[in-house]
Amino acid sequence: MPEKKSILYVQTSEAPERQYAPLVLAQTAKAMDIDASVYFLGTGLKVLLPGAAEKMQLGSFPSVLQMIRRAQDMGVTFYACEASKQMLGWEKVDLIPGVKIVGAGTLNDLALNVDATMWF
């Protein structure tokens, strides 16, 4: 039996037009039976603040929050970078539910262990 493939998508931006590609790709990966995770880094973390993603909606796509929820329901894992949180001056912050705050070493570990990474 072939080993299950995995892809890591890294989101570095808070720009609404850059949110959809990793979420669409992560959902597509899960539909293809590929493990998928999304790691938010730098100012990309601002998307995870409660209320931020639901205000982002472009064209005929659902809101970014709906895209995140759909991906979570499909089993996509979401991470937020602890060092980026500190860079933004957030000592204590609430993020949307279901996001794991992890250290920078986790990104290195994930990148070394997945079959592909894509940065946005």
Side-chain angles (χ1 to χ4, degrees), residues 9 25 32 53 72 79 99 101 110 120:
Y9 303 94
L25 290 168
M32 297 170 66
Q72 287 176 322
Y79 299 99
V99 176
I101 298 174
L110 289 168
F120 297 87

Side-chain angles (χ1 to χ4, degrees), residues 57-69:
Q57 193 271 325
L58 298 176
S60 61
F61 277 94
S63 73
V64 170
L65 180 61
Q66 289 173 308
M67 294 290 290
I68 290 171
R69 292 281 181 248

Side-chain angles (χ1 to χ4, degrees), residues 23-42:
L23 297 172
V24 168
L25 290 168
Q27 291 176 18
T28 302
K30 290 301 289 184
M32 297 170 66
D33 199 29
I34 297 169
D35 282 335
S37 53
V38 181
Y39 190 103
F40 286 80
L41 180 69

Side-chain angles (χ1 to χ4, degrees), residues 6-7 14 33 36 64-65 68 77 85 93-94 108-109 113:
S6 59
I7 302 175
E14 64 186 293
D33 199 29
V64 170
L65 180 61
I68 290 171
T77 305
K85 186 175 77 76
V93 65
D94 290 326
N108 290 333
D109 288 339
N113 292 317

Side-chain angles (χ1 to χ4, degrees), residues 13-119:
S13 173
E14 64 186 293
E17 63 274 12
R18 292 184 60 186
Q19 302 308 309
Y20 286 96
L23 297 172
V24 168
L25 290 168
Q27 291 176 18
T28 302
K30 290 301 289 184
M32 297 170 66
D33 199 29
I34 297 169
D35 282 335
S37 53
V38 181
Y39 190 103
F40 286 80
L41 180 69
T43 60
L45 265 69
K46 292 181 179 179
V47 175
L48 302 174
L49 291 171
E54 63 191 274
K55 294 177 187 167
M56 295 180 182
Q57 193 271 325
L58 298 176
S60 61
F61 277 94
S63 73
V64 170
L65 180 61
Q66 289 173 308
M67 294 290 290
I68 290 171
R69 292 281 181 248
R70 184 176 303 161
Q72 287 176 322
D73 289 345
M74 294 175 77
V76 175
T77 305
F78 284 79
Y79 299 99
C81 176
E82 171 66 31
S84 296
K85 186 175 77 76
Q86 293 172 10
M87 176 195 78
L88 292 167
W90 301 344
E91 289 186 29
K92 185 171 181 165
V93 65
D94 290 326
L95 301 176
I96 60 173
V99 176
K100 300 176 185 176
I101 298 174
V102 295
T106 299
L107 177 57
N108 290 333
D109 288 339
L110 289 168
L112 289 171
N113 292 317
V114 297
D115 296 296
T117 60
M118 296 183 188
W119 291 68

